[in-house]
Amino acid sequence: MRRTNIPAVPHRSSAAKTRLRGLRVISRALLAVIVGGAALPIAAFAESTASPPAAEEYIIWPPDGAVIHGGKLWVRMGLRNMGVCPKGVVFPNTGHHHLLIDTDLPALDQEIPSDRNHLHFGAGETDARIELPPGKHTLQLILGDHNHVPHAPPVYSKKITITVQKD
């Protein structure tokens, strides 16, 4: 039987062993953060997408001060110096509309909420049929990037007020 020479493992000092143990602990902690990162809120990882300085979002219809009879209306959305594309599409100077109803602008460094006051048009829509109860309402648009996060600088419309009357 033939013996192979196995190189000897160099002797490590106790200081070297302590450093190695510390590196293993740090490596495991980093791995836990990377792997477990999915459990953290998405906003913790939100990055801003740049918008051109002359970008402008606006409501084409209804006009500010409009009186709507019956509560059902079309909202037509406009955008200058940028393009509209569906959510998830990463392309420079593009985004998709979000309609804010009876609410203020959301946090500009986080994903835009999705609820009855924050309507997402992630398929790239530029008009939408909505229904509102009788009374005064505010409408405002904000453009979101591929992850529904406002651009930097944010692109949003003037807030308008409409009144819905019963038929």
Side-chain angles (χ1 to χ4, degrees):
M1 181 172 214
R2 191 173 163 162
R3 293 186 85 176
T4 4
N5 286 339
I6 301 173
V9 176
H11 175 55
R12 292 188 177 124
S13 68
S14 62
K17 288 178 185 176
T18 303
R19 279 194 304 271
L20 185 58
R21 207 173 300 121
L23 287 174
R24 284 186 185 133
V25 168
I26 291 170
S27 297
R28 286 185 188 127
L30 286 172
L31 183 62
V33 168
I34 292 167
V35 172
L40 294 175
I42 291 173
F45 296 104
E47 290 185 25
S48 297
T49 301
S51 64
E56 181 184 353
E57 187 163 29
Y58 55 96
I59 296 173
I60 299 170
W61 203 93
D64 191 20
V67 176
I68 308 297
H69 297 278
K72 292 182 183 179
L73 66 138
W74 281 95
V75 176
R76 294 205 164 78
M77 302 166 253
L79 184 63
R80 281 192 191 100
N81 299 318
M82 286 188 77
V84 176
C85 68
K87 67 179 178 180
V89 174
V90 181
F91 196 78
N93 300 325
T94 63
H96 61 279
H97 296 290
H98 297 81
L99 179 63
L100 309 178
I101 302 172
D102 299 328
T103 190
D104 293 324
L105 288 171
L108 299 177
D109 62 344
Q110 296 176 18
E111 186 176 328
I112 299 166
S114 181
D115 55 34
R116 65 188 180 126
N117 298 101
H118 303 84
L119 304 183
H120 288 234
F121 298 100
E125 301 95 328
T126 57
D127 59 7
R129 182 103 165 136
I130 65 170
E131 185 171 358
L132 297 171
K136 281 195 180 285
H137 299 280
T138 61
L139 302 176
Q140 187 172 25
L141 293 171
I142 186 164
L143 199 68
D145 69 4
H146 59 283
N147 286 323
H148 303 286
V149 176
H151 292 74
V155 180
Y156 56 89
S157 71
K158 176 183 114 178
K159 186 184 279 191
I160 68 166
T161 302
I162 63 170
T163 302
V164 173
Q165 293 181 344
K166 281 176 116 177
D167 268 350

